[in-house]
């Protein structure tokens, strides 16, 4: 990963110390880019709605990158945004220790956790994405992996010095645009379920924009999740999340509405109640990208 291998002459960016605010990329919060299962997924995600095209493919050796693996991208986005805001020059070529990454995303720091991090990096590097998002036309797809490449660093005596990784331009350019980044609750890292994590990111993406909250039809949510779970099981799992009220900062409710069927309602905890409000429907509207 030496600089002469890269025509654009990437400058190495050393991860910043300290307790940074977690930031997430809105595109990753809105669309089905990751497996929600802890078991290996090889079935591609193929999502097409309007002008939005997303195709995610995995290799048999590693399986598809999961929503837990995406914590590494949240760490990376948080580093890049913080560096930029402090007046430093970030880069797609990043260096950090496993401890720094694992500590930020709320994981343990044992050898087993380190090996799990390496497996996550392998999945992020081997999963391939093709998407029309932020492309001039849906016919022109941007193809990339979540991590272009990564390696373990060591000194001349073989002593471990940490990791280096290169972020893809598609992700990095989104992170550098303020309008495409949101701060998330650190409690997100404590959410254990894949669907629960995905739902928090979707709710955080939309729920913060409307005081009265949003509603989504369950069939629409099912399609947006990319989940392989049948709709019946998906709906059951959603009801369990609503029962637990486990999403930090938001209230959830399930309602039956005429002509729409079962809908999920959500709003910020400090917002008004659902009763008497006019939630914004979570359907794509003219000019809006959901």
């Amino acid at each position: 990963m030496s600089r002469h291998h890269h025509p654009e002459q990437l400058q190495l960016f050393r991860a910043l110390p300290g307790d940074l605010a977690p930031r997430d990329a809105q595109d990753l919060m809105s669309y089905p880019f990751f497996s929600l299962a802890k078991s290996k997924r090889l079935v591609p995600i193929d999502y097409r709605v309007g002008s939005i095209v997303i195709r995610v493919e995995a290799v048999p050796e590693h399986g598809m990158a999961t929503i837990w693996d995406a914590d590494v991208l949240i760490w990376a986005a948080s580093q890049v945004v913080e560096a930029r805001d402090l007046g430093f020059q970030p880069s797609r070529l990043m260096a950090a220790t496993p401890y720094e990454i694992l500590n930020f995303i709320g994981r343990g720091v044992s050898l087993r956790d380190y090996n799990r991090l390496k497996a996550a990096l392998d999945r992020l590097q081997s999963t391939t994405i093709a998407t029309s998002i932020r492309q001039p036309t849906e016919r022109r797809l941007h193809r990339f992996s979540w991590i272009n490449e990564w390696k373990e660093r060591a000194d001349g005596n073989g002593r471990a010095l940490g990791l280096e990784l290169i972020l893809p331009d598609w992700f990095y350019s989104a992170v550098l645009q303020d309008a495409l980044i949101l701060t998330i609750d650190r409690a997100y890292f404590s959410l254990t379920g894949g669907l629960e994590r995905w739902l928090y990111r979707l709710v955080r993406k939309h729920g913060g924009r409307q005081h009265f909250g949003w509603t989504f039809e369950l069939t629409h949510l099912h399609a947006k999740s990319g989940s392989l779970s049948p709709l019946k099981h998906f709906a059951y799992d959603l009801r369990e999340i609503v029962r637990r009220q486990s999403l930090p900062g938001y209230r959830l409710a399930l309602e039956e509405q005429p002509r729409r069927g079962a809908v999920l309602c959500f709003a910020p905890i400090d917002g008004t109640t659902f009763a008497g409000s006019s939630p914004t429907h979570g359907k794509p509207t003219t000019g809006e990208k959901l």
Side-chain angles (χ1 to χ4, degrees):
M1 197 181 286
S2 59
R3 288 175 58 186
H4 66 269
H5 287 161
H6 305 285
E8 55 188 297
Q9 293 290 298
L10 293 176
Q11 187 69 37
L12 182 66
F13 167 61
R14 180 69 182 81
L16 299 173
D19 190 19
L20 282 59
R23 275 97 165 194
D24 207 349
Q26 291 198 41
D27 287 338
L28 274 61
M29 302 166 81
S30 300
Y31 298 106
F33 280 112
F34 301 99
S35 170
L36 305 186
K38 291 183 177 177
S39 56
K40 182 187 288 187
R41 173 170 176 165
L42 296 177
V43 178
I45 294 173
D46 200 350
Y47 180 80
R48 298 169 186 268
V49 174
S51 63
I52 300 298
V53 177
I54 296 171
R55 173 82 175 178
V56 184
E57 296 180 289
V59 298
E61 181 181 359
H62 300 296
M64 186 178 293
T66 71
I67 199 161
W68 294 273
D69 301 339
D71 288 357
V72 175
L73 300 178
I74 295 176
W75 166 82
S78 306
Q79 285 284 334
V80 169
V81 172
E82 186 76 10
R84 183 204 60 192
D85 290 351
L86 291 175
F88 299 123
Q89 180 60 52
S91 170
R92 295 196 295 120
L93 174 57
M94 304 180 68
T97 64
Y99 175 85
E100 289 171 319
I101 299 174
L102 290 167
N103 187 57
F104 180 85
I105 63 178
R107 310 283 177 88
V109 291
S110 67
L111 178 60
R112 185 175 70 166
D113 294 305
Y114 180 29
N115 287 332
R116 285 177 173 173
L117 174 61
K118 291 195 290 184
L121 292 169
D122 281 339
R123 284 188 293 271
L124 290 165
Q125 193 274 326
S126 61
T127 298
T128 56
I129 302 94
T131 183
S132 63
I133 295 174
R134 285 187 279 114
Q135 301 306 299
T137 168
E138 63 186 280
R139 293 183 179 180
R140 295 181 60 182
L141 301 183
H142 194 131
R143 293 170 173 83
F144 60 94
S145 296
W146 294 119
I147 292 176
N148 286 5
E149 53 184 278
W150 75 276
K151 72 174 183 179
E152 296 175 88
R153 300 165 60 233
D155 62 17
N157 297 319
R159 185 172 61 91
L161 295 177
L163 305 170
E164 282 184 14
L165 59 86
I166 298 179
L167 299 173
D169 184 64
W170 184 90
F171 175 73
Y172 184 72
S173 61
V175 169
L176 288 177
Q177 296 183 47
D178 277 337
L180 297 180
I181 290 294
L182 284 174
T183 300
I184 63 172
D185 195 311
R186 185 165 289 281
Y188 167 79
F189 295 123
S190 299
L191 297 177
T192 56
L195 180 61
E196 196 173 34
R197 282 171 154 250
W198 170 80
L199 188 60
Y200 171 79
R201 297 172 89 183
L202 183 76
V203 166
R204 174 68 186 95
K205 163 72 168 64
H206 294 291
R209 290 160 48 188
Q210 290 286 338
H211 190 58
F212 293 116
W214 283 71
T215 67
F216 277 106
E217 296 172 12
L218 259 60
T219 52
H220 184 53
L221 282 175
H222 184 243
K224 282 182 75 72
S225 73
S227 172
L228 293 176
S229 178
L231 178 59
K232 182 179 179 180
H233 296 166
F234 178 86
Y236 175 83
D237 292 340
L238 268 186
R239 293 180 194 282
E240 280 299 297
I241 294 171
V242 171
R243 183 184 63 80
R244 294 197 307 270
Q245 292 293 325
S246 56
L247 301 195
Y250 294 93
R251 293 175 297 109
L252 307 175
L254 276 171
E255 297 179 357
E256 288 288 337
Q257 295 187 358
R259 291 180 294 184
R260 297 186 71 200
V263 298
L264 178 75
C265 310
F266 53 85
I269 285 177
D270 58 359
T272 58
T273 60
F274 293 121
S277 66
S278 300
T280 302
H281 293 175
K283 292 183 174 181
T285 55
T286 303
E288 182 176 16
K289 290 168 57 180
L290 292 177

